[in-house]
Amino acid sequence: MSAAAAVLGAAAGVAGRWASAAAARAPAARDLLRIPAPAVRDPVPAAADLGVADVEPWLTPADDFYRIDTALSVPRIDVDAWELRIHGMVERELTLRFDDLTARPLLERIVTLACVSNPVGGDLVGNAVWTGVPIRDLLAEAGPSAEADMVLSTSEDGFTASTPLEALADPGRDSLLAVTMNGEPLPFEHGYPVRMVVPGLYGYVSATKWVVDLEVTRFDRAEAYWTSRGWTARGPIKMSSRIEVPAEGGRTEAGPAVLAGTAWAQHTGITAVQVSVDEGPWQDAELGSVGTDDTWRQWVLRTDLPGGRHTARVRAVDRDGTVQIAEQAPPAPDGASGWHERTFTVA
C-alpha cells in the first residue's frame, strides 16, 4: 500500500508539473497564434455609434466586457493541447484539435451577449466581434439522433451549460465556436482558446468559455450548472432597454436635454425605442444603425425640458411589433423585466 501510494503521489506530481508547464506556455503561445482571416465578415455600420458622450460604445472593448466566472482562477490552456470532443446521441463521435477547427472556413459575426442575472438597467451585457466556426456544421457531421433536443457543453473548469439543439442547428442563427474577439485571439478571461457564442440566449445556457466537450443529449436526461440551481433550462434573452445618459441623480444644462442609452432584443432586433418623461406621452428616439438583429442598438432623444427634477423611463419595440413589458421581475429564474427609469435635474 505504501509503494502504491508513493507511485500515485509521484504520478500526481508529474501531472501537476506538466499542467503548470502547459499553463506557463499558454501566454506565449497566444502571442504567437496566427488565426486565418474569416471567409465571411460582418460589416460595422457607419452610424452604429451615435457619438453621445457617456453612452456605452457600440463595440465593447474586451477589457470592459462583462465576466461571470464560476472558477476561482482563469484557466490557462495550451492551444496545442486543446481538444474538443463531440459525442453522446450522435452517429459519429468527433474529436477536434485547434488546427482542425481553424482550418475550416471561419465566420465573423457581431453578437451581443447578456447575463441572465443582469438587473433592469444593469451592465452585464456587451457587444463584440466574434470569429469562429458554425456549431451547426460540426453537429451535422456528428449526426444527432432525432430524439436529442439539447447539447450539454463543458468547460475546462468543469462548468456546464444546456443549450437547445434547435438553436445550435438553426441555419438562420450563426452559433459559433469562437476563436477571436474584436479581431484578436480570445483573451484568457473570455475563454481562450475556444468558447461558445450563441445569439439570442443568455450566457448561462450558451456562452461556455474554455469549452472542451459537447454532449448531444436531452433536457430530461442531463442538467447543467445553473439549471441545477433553479434557473430555467432554455434561457431566451428578454427584450431590454436602459437609460445611460443622464446619470441617476445627475444634472443637465437648461435647453434641449439629451437622453440616451442602448436597447437589445437579440436574434429578433429592435425597431423602436420610446421615452416618457414625467409620465408624459411616449416619444420616439433616434436609433443607431445595425447590420444584424443580433446586436444592441444605441438610441438618443433630444427634448426641451423645464428646469427642475424629472424622471424618464424607456421601453423598446422589436421587429415583431412586441412592446417591452412594464411588469417588474427579478433576474431569477429566467431574466429580469421592466422599464428602466432615471431621475435627474435640469439646471
Side-chain angles (χ1 to χ4, degrees):
M1 291 176 63
S2 297
V7 170
L8 290 172
V14 170
R17 288 193 296 273
W18 182 88
S20 297
R25 289 194 300 269
R30 181 185 178 277
D31 290 342
L32 295 173
L33 194 60
R34 298 294 178 265
I35 295 173
V40 178
R41 292 183 180 273
D42 256 358
V44 176
D49 200 311
L50 294 173
V52 178
D54 298 324
V55 169
E56 287 292 317
W58 188 70
L59 282 179
T60 309
D63 289 345
D64 298 332
F65 208 94
Y66 81 92
R67 287 176 55 201
I68 300 292
D69 296 337
T70 59
L72 294 178
S73 61
V74 173
R76 294 287 193 270
I77 302 174
D78 182 356
V79 68
D80 291 332
W82 178 85
E83 284 188 348
L84 175 72
R85 182 185 176 211
I86 302 175
H87 63 106
M89 299 173 66
V90 297
E91 296 177 2
R92 296 167 295 279
E93 289 196 13
L94 300 178
T95 300
L96 297 170
R97 305 291 296 271
F98 189 82
D99 287 345
D100 300 328
L101 192 67
T102 56
R104 296 165 177 264
L106 301 180
L107 300 184
E108 178 186 88
R109 291 291 180 257
I110 305 173
V111 178
T112 297
L113 299 183
C115 180
V116 70
S117 57
N118 196 36
V120 172
D123 60 1
L124 298 180
V125 59
N127 189 50
V129 183
W130 311 94
T131 299
V133 172
I135 297 174
R136 64 173 176 268
D137 293 348
L138 301 176
L139 290 175
E141 291 181 26
S145 165
E147 298 178 355
D149 64 4
M150 186 259 274
V151 173
L152 186 72
S153 56
T154 303
S155 165
E156 173 74 12
D157 68 354
F159 172 83
T160 54
S162 55
T163 310
L165 177 59
E166 63 183 3
L168 297 177
D170 182 357
R173 185 193 315 243
D174 287 327
S175 302
L176 299 178
L177 286 178
V179 294
T180 78
M181 179 181 188
N182 292 341
E184 299 290 335
L186 292 171
F188 288 104
E189 294 80 5
H190 292 290
Y192 175 87
V194 182
R195 67 168 296 163
M196 290 175 62
V197 172
V198 181
L201 302 181
Y202 285 119
Y204 80 106
V205 299
S206 70
T208 303
K209 296 183 285 189
W210 316 293
V211 62
V212 294
D213 190 275
L214 298 179
E215 179 187 0
V216 179
T217 181
R218 291 183 53 84
F219 280 103
D220 58 8
R221 296 183 188 178
E223 197 171 34
Y225 182 91
W226 285 114
T227 51
S228 68
R229 289 159 172 79
W231 297 80
T232 56
R234 295 176 182 269
I237 292 176
K238 294 180 179 179
M239 177 169 36
S240 190
S241 56
R242 66 185 182 189
I243 301 170
E244 298 166 21
V245 174
E248 175 63 30
R251 298 175 67 85
T252 184
E253 299 297 325
V258 177
L259 291 83
T262 48
W264 55 91
Q266 291 96 312
H267 206 57
T268 304
I270 295 290
T271 57
V273 172
Q274 300 170 333
V275 182
S276 170
V277 181
D278 301 329
E279 299 187 358
W282 290 101
Q283 304 177 64
D284 287 328
E286 174 190 350
L287 298 181
S289 58
V290 290
T292 74
D293 291 334
D294 291 328
T295 67
W296 60 14
R297 298 189 81 164
Q298 290 188 355
W299 61 268
V300 60
L301 176 70
R302 296 173 174 86
T303 184
D304 289 321
L305 295 175
R309 193 172 178 84
H310 300 278
T311 297
R313 57 185 179 180
V314 64
R315 69 184 186 186
V317 182
D318 70 16
R319 290 197 183 279
D320 294 335
T322 303
V323 178
Q324 182 183 341
I325 63 172
E327 181 182 355
Q328 295 286 328
D334 62 354
S337 68
W339 295 338
H340 187 219
E341 293 187 354
R342 276 197 173 171
T343 299
F344 57 95
T345 299
V346 174

